[in-house]
Amino acid sequence: MNDYSGLELGPVLIHQIRRTATADGPKFEASLTDEPVDFESEDRAFLTRRFQEALLRRATPVTEIGDNEDSVAPKLIREHWLNADIVALSKGLTHALVEVQTGVSRPGVLVVADATNNGEETLLIAKVEHQEAMRAEPQTNEAGNQYVRIERIRDLVFGEQTKIYKIAALPKTTDALSPLTGDLADSQNGQGVAGYFLRGFLGLRLADEPEVLTEAFLKGMTKAINESGMAPEDKMDAQTALSLELQSNATSLNPTSFIQKHIPFTHQGEVSRIAPTTGTPMTSFPKNTTRVNARLNRIRIDLSQGVYLVAPPDLIGRDKVVRVERVESETSTKDEVLIKITGASLGNVSSNGTR
C-alpha cells in the first residue's frame, strides 16, 4: 500500500447524489456544480486528514479490469490525464455513478479531486454519505432569559464521526495504454456493495487474487493479535475465532467486521491500528482458503523456552478442552500463565521434529 502521509489536495469538486421515489422504485439523480469548492486553508487541511485516515487504515491495491466496456470511468480518467479538466471529469463520473447505483444504496456526495501524493499526481474519487446531527445554539429571548435553540442538520458531511465509505486514489498513468492502478478503501460491509463502486463504476478489480488476500489476512491478523496488549486468554480466543472464520461458509471476509466481533472492545482500536502495518488487507474481499487450509486445522500456542502446544481450534478457548488462565506467582511479582487441558488423556509421546 502507498504512503499517503504526503497527500495534498488541489481543486476539489463536490456533486450531490439524491434519491427520489418513483412509481418504478427509488432512482438517483445528480445535482451538479460548476466550480471547485472554495476552501479555507484549515478546512482543506481537515478534509485532507480525513482522506489520509481512510487510505492509511483501509486501502487495498486495485487495478483496471482488462477489456471492460461496462464502465466509462477509465476512459474519462485517461482523457483527464491527457487534457486536464477536473470539472468535466467530475461531472462525467457523477453521471456514471448515478447509472450504476442500486436502490439499496444511500444518497450522498461524490468528491473528485486532483491531488499530489509525495509529489506524484494523483486523482481522488470518494463517495461520502450524509449523516444527520443536532446543533445546540445558546439564545436569549425578549425577556432576557437564556435558552438553547436546537437545529437539525440533515445533510452533514465530513464530520469527525462521518465515515468516508469509499475512496479511490489513482496515480497518473505514464501513457494512454497503461492500466489504471491505485488503492481503494471501503469501510462498508459486504462484497456486493463494493462491487458496484469498484467494478461497475470505476472499472477496477482487486490487484491480488482472493487466495493471496486470504493468506495475507491470516498472516497479518495473526501478527496483529500477537503484537497487541490483549491478555493471553483473549489472544487465544481471537486466534481461534480467526481460524473458525476462515473455515466458515461465508464467501467473503471483512477485516473490520472481524475485529468488531472477535476482539475485546478495549483492544479493537489497537488491533485496527496494528493490522494495516502487518500487511492485513483492510477492505472486504472474496474468501479463498486454498493456500491456508493446512494451517486452519491446528493452532500452535508458543510458550517460553521452546515449548509449544498444537490443538484443533474448536477445542481452544474459555470452557474448552484447552484454555489459558492467569494465576498469581509465589516467586515473581508478575502473574504466570497456566494452560489447562481437561477432558483429555495422554496418548502417544514421540520425537518427530514437528514444528
Side-chain angles (χ1 to χ4, degrees), residues 26-344:
K27 287 189 176 181
F28 292 93
E29 59 184 23
S31 179
L32 302 177
T33 56
D34 300 310
E35 298 284 343
V37 179
D38 184 15
F39 283 113
E40 297 289 340
S41 58
E42 59 269 26
D43 295 331
R44 184 180 295 275
F46 174 80
L47 182 58
T48 301
R49 288 197 303 272
R50 296 306 317 278
F51 287 157
Q52 287 174 319
E53 290 167 0
L55 289 166
L56 288 169
R57 293 184 60 187
R58 288 180 167 79
T60 296
V62 292
T63 189
E64 186 176 351
I65 300 173
D67 300 325
N68 179 32
E69 298 181 356
D70 295 331
S71 172
V72 300
K75 179 182 177 182
L76 293 174
I77 294 170
R78 282 194 173 86
E79 290 175 353
H80 176 64
W81 289 139
L82 294 173
N83 185 20
D85 188 342
I86 190 65
V87 176
L89 171 65
S90 64
K91 289 183 177 181
L93 290 176
T94 304
H95 284 303
L97 181 57
V98 167
E99 289 297 319
V100 300
Q101 282 207 152
T102 61
V104 297
S105 301
R106 297 181 63 182
V109 298
L110 184 70
V111 184
V112 182
D114 275 331
T116 59
N117 183 43
N118 299 313
E120 183 178 27
E121 292 184 62
T122 301
L123 181 69
L124 293 180
I125 305 170
K127 183 189 175 188
V128 183
E129 294 181 358
H130 289 141
Q131 290 190 336
E132 293 189 12
M134 303 288 283
R135 179 167 61 190
E137 186 176 359
Q139 300 283 325
T140 304
N141 62 19
E142 295 178 355
N145 295 324
Q146 301 290 321
Y147 70 100
V148 173
R149 176 176 175 269
I150 296 294
E151 178 184 3
R152 186 179 182 185
I153 304 173
R154 299 176 182 271
D155 53 357
L156 179 69
V157 292
F158 303 129
E160 289 284 1
Q161 303 302 318
T162 304
K163 291 183 179 180
I164 299 177
Y165 280 120
K166 298 172 177 62
I167 178 171
L170 306 173
K172 185 176 181 178
T173 52
T174 56
D175 60 66
L177 298 179
S178 297
L180 299 179
T181 61
D183 290 314
L184 173 81
D186 184 352
S187 63
Q188 274 184 317
N189 294 340
Q191 177 187 350
V193 177
Y196 85 82
F197 187 84
L198 176 63
R199 294 182 290 274
F201 169 47
L202 293 176
L204 304 174
R205 63 173 177 81
L206 297 177
D208 291 324
E209 297 299 327
E211 58 266 30
V212 177
L213 291 169
T214 302
E215 183 178 34
F217 173 68
L218 174 59
K219 286 183 177 179
M221 192 60 72
T222 295
K223 191 172 182 181
I225 290 169
N226 285 318
E227 289 183 4
S228 73
M230 286 192 289
E233 56 266 38
D234 291 328
K235 289 182 179 180
M236 284 182 56
D237 288 345
Q239 190 64 40
T240 299
L242 180 59
S243 293
L244 296 177
E245 186 89 8
L246 287 166
Q247 295 180 77
S248 72
N249 293 327
T251 59
S252 64
L253 288 168
N254 187 305
T256 301
S257 177
F258 173 82
I259 291 172
Q260 292 173 345
K261 289 194 300 183
H262 300 298
I263 301 298
F265 178 78
T266 54
H267 290 280
Q268 289 180 6
E270 179 189 20
V271 174
S272 295
R273 290 190 298 271
I274 296 174
T277 69
T278 61
T280 308
M282 294 304 292
T283 192
S284 301
F285 59 90
K287 182 173 69 174
N288 186 325
T289 60
T290 302
R291 298 174 63 156
V292 299
N293 277 327
R295 283 174 265 174
L296 300 180
N297 295 326
R298 294 289 187 271
I299 289 180
R300 171 171 161 162
I301 305 168
D302 286 279
L303 306 174
S304 60
Q305 299 179 335
V307 178
Y308 64 87
L309 172 69
V310 178
D314 58 346
L315 298 183
I316 299 176
R318 293 178 174 85
D319 302 322
K320 300 291 182 67
V321 174
V322 180
R323 66 183 186 274
V324 167
E325 294 182 3
R326 281 183 294 179
V327 295
E328 293 184 0
S329 173
E330 297 179 356
T331 60
S332 172
T333 57
K334 296 181 179 180
D335 288 349
E336 292 181 346
V337 173
L338 176 67
I339 292 185
K340 288 191 174 183
I341 304 176
T342 60

